[in-house]
Amino acid sequence: MLNRDRIGTFVAVLLGTALITTFLVLLTSAQPRVPERLAGFPALVQAPAADNRPDEFAEPVPWSPETAQALLDRLSGVPGVTGVVADRSFYAQPVLDGRPVEDSTAGHAWRAGSPLVDGTGPAAGEVVADQPVGATITVLTGSGPETRRVSGRSEWPGIYLPESEAARLGPGVRVLGVAGTPDPEALRAAVGDSGVVLTGAERGRAEPQDDARVRWIGMQVLTATAAIAAFACLFLIASTSAYAVDQSRREIGLLRAVGATPRQVRSMLYRSALLLGARAAVVGVALGALAALPLASVLVDGGFEPHGYHVRWQWWVLAVAFAAGPLVALAGAVTAARRVTRIGPMEALRTAELEPRAMSRARWAMGLVAVGGAVTAGVAAAGAEDVRDLGTLALLGAMALIVAAVLLAPAVVPALIRVLLAPLSGITATLARESAGAAVRRTASTAAPILFTVAFAVFVTGTVRTSAAAFDAERVAAVPTGQVLVPDGTPGLHDGVAGRAPLDSTVYLDGSATVVIGSDEVTPGTALVSSAAAERLGEAVSVTFADGSTERLRVAGPAPDGPFMSDLVLSRDAVRQHDPSALAPAVYPAPDGPAGVGARKASPADMARRLDAEDDRLVATFTILLLAVSAGAGALAVANTLLMASRGRRRDLRVLRHSGATGWQVIRSVALESGLAVAIGSLLGGTAGLIAVAGSARSLGEQVGTHVPVLISWPVIAGTVLVCLLLAVGAAVLPALRLIRSPAATR
């Protein structure tokens, strides 16, 4: 049976395991997915991977048309192969009601046998799209808008053109679909070193790199959120379990008085923690697994996961989440049980129930170790060369600081009590001061979830605002003055609106994908290189273009400066010839007249915001998610801990009533003591969070080469503290009201 003294631990384990389950399920569900148009092929052959870092999401090095045709011929002769199809992808975006369709920017080659909802496959000048059959639509391509008739509707995303026209817009081939029942080893023998054979779940590696990037972003978000959820689980369950054991000192004293040995008492407490944790974990895992379903849709809508992402329940994930509950509950009970069972029977039964000293040697040692961990993480963050490493180290440092603040809090709680209540006088303040001071451990325990909540609110909002300010300054400095023509609902500007503006494209140097600019300032057969890349590239470069063809270009001089330049600048005509999907990032200065479809005019400040608008939106959503997890878990823990503390103080409140205190005086004393716990937790948590943000700002300043101020979202912090205060006072006062109204309270 769950009595009132154990239900708090039950709730903490339930909430903790629910959080862990939800984010572990979401994290492990983020797996590569085979594109719909390729799902019907039992085997895929992919071009060789680019020699780039995985987090650069470079597309494979394309085959030239000759290499692709030779591979197709060889694969067609493999026993069991009934057909081989070249998959082509290129920029093609439909325009509806004068606006580009923002979530449809990819075109592909149509093939016989593909599923149709209505109509037929496309002929010359036609397209299969998600539009009524017979309608005429405008399709944007790299060279400009084209008018096409819709011949059919497909279940697949994107738009589809005849093979001949798809080959014109997407001459480079990176994937071949193999139909039939071939032996994978025979396919590998036919392909050799020219590509990679993918079968089964491996076919997910053929997903578009844009989807891979979105999935990677989602992995970072879910990993960070899961880390905070795990920390919240460990922190809240362990502290609640330890607090519950401390509250049972009188019962333990009774057991000792009737002959129970410390070992027997500890064994009983351990079994109780395990059983209670297991029962709560069953409910928590079930709730967490169900909560993952609506959150999966939120992740897709928020741009943290690609379309097609869905929840996958795996038994080992649920088992890990289930095991976390009882194991952490046990860990929280171990330290407290060892400490409590060292107390003698008569000492534990004393009416005064004076606490032992607030800071034990073990607590001092663990607190100082946590401080050392925070310092180590800060030093490592200062030397980090990558922003992602900086973020990870900053999070680890913040966690270590929070743990240190919780462990060392009893050492400063008495001083904080005197300082915070010094301006107050009267019987209510005296009662609150003496009650909190006589039970330093209890005061520190009730302040712990508030400390956790406020610290993470300060750290999350401070880190986001501080880093955003640093990157905004860099952005604005890089953008020229004057009006700029920028994309509007499209990934770039087509030639119809950009004219002869420089083009963005991707080429491969020694197998490594590199972004280049195609400019009219460069003559065909030559290249311009930046001073930073001149020594590395030499006097000539061998370039593999987007269509798979390779040319050796002479380096004719240095690349010009400008906001839209890169390390390698090629002839614009050469880029357009080899990459029909190349788009211009912007046009500066903006030409006179209307902007045209898919473009708009913007000021430098607008352009600076647009450059990272999507990243800013993702960061804002990420911030809300982190705050919801950390502040939500912390707020629930505040209410849970204060309810446990109030139930444990029933006898103290009765003594106050017997001593002549009125019901209103008791309520004010309880409310003031709860507010005191909130103030202590807010001060310690805010300090820990500010130290963590200040360390991140200094490390970020080293990376961007300028001073980065510490910025905190004070309205969010104030709101967080206010919510904690309302929950804490409510959780403490409501049980006290019921108690003083009870006839037993006045007897």
Side-chain angles (χ1 to χ4, degrees), residues 106-130:
H108 308 283
W110 182 259
R111 66 173 187 270
S114 300
L116 281 170
V117 175
D118 189 18
T120 62
E126 295 181 336
V127 64
V128 170
D130 187 18

Side-chain angles (χ1 to χ4, degrees), residues 68 106 155 172 182 194 206 208 217 248 286 345 364 418 435 437 472 564 571 586-587 591 604 663 698 720 734-735:
E155 299 174 344
S194 300
I217 292 173
S248 304
W364 273 112
R418 289 192 297 271
S435 176
D472 280 346
F564 310 122
S571 162
V587 178
R698 184 169 181 178
T720 302
L734 291 178

